[in-house]
């Protein structure tokens, strides 16, 4: 199971003007002398060009990086080498060793929820980019690249749960959860279900809890405050009560509660027994392979009229703290995330870039799954990327499973979860 807040108000997918990376002064000119820093520069404000930059890319994704590297080399005259290293854990672990030894990369790629730990360990460094670069991306995806109010990367790809339905069993996606609820009541019988979601798993349940007004950590001036939790406020309780209703009325089977719930839900859907589910883009292919004609849409709106505020995962590019050429490493990640290179990456990997201008591009607009993820992402909340988030998953899973099994009322279960989270944060992170 993948564990995949916006600390800003979540931005709509506005479509602004995309400014690409441009060269500084004509490269044919003699390098200017930066007297203040006593450095010879080959471009305005930039140090002398290195001979080579090294990038760690995710496994089986190098093919999408190669065109961007070739274009960068031609434009700037800097050799770029890449190595494929598994992104989720191995890049972080290997950087701890190779960085210290001086054999590490200049640029790495990791999920955004690792940023806090990488910064705390001194493994990646803050980057500085122009506002035109930031304007390329959706606001929530940029916020996901920030930690303690500072920018530590640029977005590469995004994913978030969406509404997936079997076109044989459901004509079209409903606009509201109230409509879906009524459909499910009429459709659910025996092993046939109208809608299923893993709402005993906080990754998925956050969509309802967040949409009803709950939050994990409060945003304090652009920083996440781990001492201020909103997981048992009025909105969180209302959201959890709504979740409990689906289990209490038998609309969700007991078999999808707990550790094996994901595989059980996938099995039911792929057998054609479920009309619709809440799941992520990682599930598309297996559904298609099972012969299901799927439709994909953003999540229907909640009974309070608010969108389902799903958690969003953002993969990004980051500059190693051990890089001897951080300015050029930053220039590289600006280049490989521009509109042209992001579009090529999507074509080759189907990873959805949070680049605003591409959302209207036919390559995404005409791709039902990609379009749904892109639209849902505008309402999504980046998973908190501070280390204290590690203390949230377990207690919230316990609370939600108690609620799903009718063994505790939402308010009591959430109060107990928050109490445990606060104790664990104080014990493991020195926070009170």
């Amino acid at each position: 199971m993948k564990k995949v807040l916006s600390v800003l108000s979540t931005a709509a997918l506005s479509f602004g003007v995309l400014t690409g990376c441009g060269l500084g002064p004509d490269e044919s000119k003699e390098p200017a002398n930066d007297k203040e820093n006593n450095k010879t520069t080959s471009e305005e404000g930039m140090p002398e060009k290195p001979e080579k930059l090294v990038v760690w890319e995710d496994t089986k994704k190098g093919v999408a990086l190669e065109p961007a590297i070739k274009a960068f080399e031609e434009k700037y005259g800097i050799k770029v080498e890449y190595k494929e290293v598994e992104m989720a854990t191995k890049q972080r672990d290997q950087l701890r060793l190779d960085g210290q030894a001086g054999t590490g990369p200049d640029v790495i790629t990791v999920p955004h929820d690792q940023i806090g730990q990488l910064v705390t360990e001194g493994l990646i460094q803050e980057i500085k980019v122009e506002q035109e670069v930031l304007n390329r991306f959706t606001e929530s995806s940029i916020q996901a690249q920030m930690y303690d109010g500072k920018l530590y990367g640029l977005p590469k790809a995004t994913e978030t749960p969406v509404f997936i339905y079997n076109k044989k069993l459901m004509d079209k996606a409903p606009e509201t959860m109230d409509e879906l609820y009524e459909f499910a009541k009429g459709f659910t019988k025996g092993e046939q279900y109208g809608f299923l979601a893993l709402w005993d798993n906080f990754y998925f349940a956050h969509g309802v809890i967040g949409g009803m007004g709950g939050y994990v950590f409060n945003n304090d001036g652009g920083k996440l405050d781990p001492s201020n939790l909103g997981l048992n406020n009025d909105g969180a309780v209302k959201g959890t009560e709504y979740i409990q209703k689906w289990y209490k009325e038998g609309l969700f089977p007991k078999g999808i509660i707990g550790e094996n719930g994901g595989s059980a839900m996938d099995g039911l859907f792929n057998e054609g027994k479920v009309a619709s589910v809440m799941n992520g883009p990682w599930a598309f292919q297996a559904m298609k392979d099972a012969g299901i004609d799927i439709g994909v849409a953003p999540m229907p709106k909640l009974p309070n009229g608010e969108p389902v505020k799903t958690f969003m995962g953002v993969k990004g590019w980051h500059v190693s703290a051990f890089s001897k050429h951080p300015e050029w490493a930053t220039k590289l990640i600006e280049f490989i995330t521009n509109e042209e290179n992001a579009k090529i990456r999507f074509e080759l990997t189907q990873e959805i870039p949070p680049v605003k201008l591409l959302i209207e591009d036919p390559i995404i607009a005409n791709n039902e799954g990609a379009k749904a993820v892109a639209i849902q992402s505008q309402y999504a909340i980046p998973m908190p990327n501070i280390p204290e988030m590690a203390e949230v998953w377990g207690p919230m899973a316990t609370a939600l499973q108690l609620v799903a099994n009718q063994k505790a009322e939402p308010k009591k279960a959430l109060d107990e979860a928050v109490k445990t989270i606060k104790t664990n944060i104080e014990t493991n992170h020195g926070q009170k």
Side-chain angles (χ1 to χ4, degrees):
M1 175 58 58
K2 295 192 177 187
K3 287 185 178 180
V4 181
L5 274 220
S6 176
V7 296
L8 297 176
S9 56
T10 316
L13 289 175
S14 55
F15 302 104
V17 176
L18 176 65
T19 303
C21 295
L23 285 171
D26 188 335
E27 289 189 42
S28 64
K29 295 180 181 179
E30 288 295 320
N33 185 38
D34 185 345
K35 295 181 180 179
E36 181 179 347
N37 296 309
N38 196 28
K39 292 181 180 179
T40 299
T41 60
S42 54
E43 297 197 8
E44 184 179 355
M46 294 292 287
E48 189 173 359
K49 294 180 181 179
E51 291 184 5
K52 181 177 71 175
L53 293 170
V54 177
V55 180
W56 283 356
E57 169 65 288
D58 195 11
T59 52
K60 300 181 180 180
K61 298 293 194 298
V63 63
L65 187 59
E66 288 174 359
I69 284 177
K70 182 179 179 181
F72 182 86
E73 289 176 335
E74 291 175 354
K75 186 170 186 177
Y76 292 105
I78 300 171
K79 174 74 174 174
V80 179
E81 293 182 356
Y82 79 88
K83 175 182 178 181
E84 290 189 350
V85 180
E86 192 273 325
M87 178 189 67
T89 58
K90 290 187 179 179
Q91 292 212 17
R92 176 187 59 197
D93 296 343
Q94 196 166 327
L95 184 61
R96 291 182 179 124
L97 302 174
D98 292 3
Q100 294 284 358
T103 58
D106 297 280
V107 173
I108 66 169
T109 181
V110 296
H112 85 272
D113 57 340
Q114 293 185 14
I115 291 174
Q117 189 62 42
L118 290 167
V119 173
T120 301
E121 292 186 37
L123 298 177
I124 59 174
Q125 58 183 289
E126 180 185 5
I127 64 170
K128 303 284 188 181
V129 301
E130 297 294 329
Q131 186 62 42
E132 305 96 271
V133 174
L134 298 179
N135 289 345
R136 296 176 188 164
F137 308 98
T138 59
E139 191 172 349
S140 56
S141 69
I142 286 294
Q143 190 59 41
Q145 301 301 301
M146 301 188 73
Y147 176 73
D148 202 23
K150 299 177 181 179
L151 183 69
Y152 284 93
L154 291 178
K156 168 187 180 183
T158 185
E159 61 183 15
T160 194
V162 288
F163 184 80
I164 308 170
Y165 61 101
N166 184 332
K167 291 183 177 180
K168 184 178 179 180
L169 304 177
M170 180 180 281
D171 293 334
K172 63 178 182 177
E175 295 290 328
T176 69
M177 290 299 298
D178 284 340
E179 292 176 50
L180 181 60
Y181 172 74
E182 291 302 324
F183 172 86
K185 283 181 68 177
F187 187 90
T188 300
K189 184 178 181 181
E191 288 191 345
Q192 179 176 280
Y193 297 92
F195 171 68
L196 295 180
L198 302 176
W199 282 343
D200 67 315
N201 179 323
F202 183 55
Y203 172 67
F204 293 98
H206 178 273
V208 177
I209 292 171
M212 292 287 198
Y215 59 88
V216 183
F217 304 122
N218 187 52
N219 171 27
D220 182 12
K223 302 178 182 180
L224 296 179
D225 181 1
S227 68
N228 186 335
L229 282 81
L231 292 173
N232 61 340
N233 66 12
D234 289 345
V237 173
K238 288 178 182 177
T240 307
E241 288 173 345
Y242 182 75
I243 285 171
Q244 188 179 52
K245 179 174 78 168
W246 287 77
Y247 292 95
K248 183 180 288 187
E249 297 186 12
L251 299 176
F252 289 177
K254 292 184 178 180
I256 68 166
I257 299 173
E259 188 174 336
N260 299 318
S263 57
M265 184 183 78
D266 291 345
L268 288 169
F269 186 84
N270 293 346
E271 290 168 11
K273 297 177 179 178
V274 181
S276 62
V277 294
M278 176 187 187
N279 212 333
W282 53 84
F284 293 167
Q285 193 57 52
M287 293 171 172
K288 293 175 183 178
D289 290 346
I292 306 297
D293 183 14
I294 63 170
V296 189
M299 289 298 298
K301 288 189 176 181
L302 291 164
N304 63 354
E306 292 295 316
V308 174
K309 294 187 177 178
T310 50
F311 266 148
M312 177 172 68
V314 181
K315 303 170 186 176
W317 294 107
H318 309 274
V319 177
S320 165
F322 306 99
S323 174
K324 295 179 181 178
H325 314 288
E327 295 91 347
W328 283 106
T330 300
K331 180 69 73 175
L332 175 61
I333 67 175
E334 289 179 7
F335 189 86
I336 63 179
T337 57
N338 68 25
E339 182 188 18
E340 180 180 357
N341 290 315
K343 183 174 180 177
I344 292 171
R345 183 173 196 90
F346 174 74
E347 289 175 325
L348 296 174
T349 67
Q350 295 299 292
E351 290 185 312
I352 300 165
V355 175
K356 289 188 285 190
L357 282 185
L358 288 184
I359 295 162
E360 282 190 327
D361 191 289
I363 195 171
I364 287 180
N366 295 337
N367 182 311
E368 190 175 13
K371 182 179 180 181
V373 172
I375 294 173
Q376 182 62 38
S377 292
Q378 71 180 310
Y379 310 120
I381 306 295
M383 283 186 295
N385 61 11
I386 60 177
E388 288 85 352
M389 184 62 187
E391 312 304 338
V392 173
W393 299 109
M396 284 302 293
T398 298
L400 290 166
Q401 287 177 25
L402 287 171
V403 167
N405 285 313
Q406 320 303 318
K407 293 183 178 179
E409 290 303 309
K411 174 63 174 172
K412 182 178 180 180
L414 293 177
D415 284 346
E416 188 61 33
V418 168
K419 180 180 178 181
T420 302
I421 292 167
K422 287 182 175 180
T423 298
N424 291 345
I425 288 176
E426 181 179 355
T427 300
N428 299 325
H429 305 275
Q431 297 284 347
K432 296 184 179 181

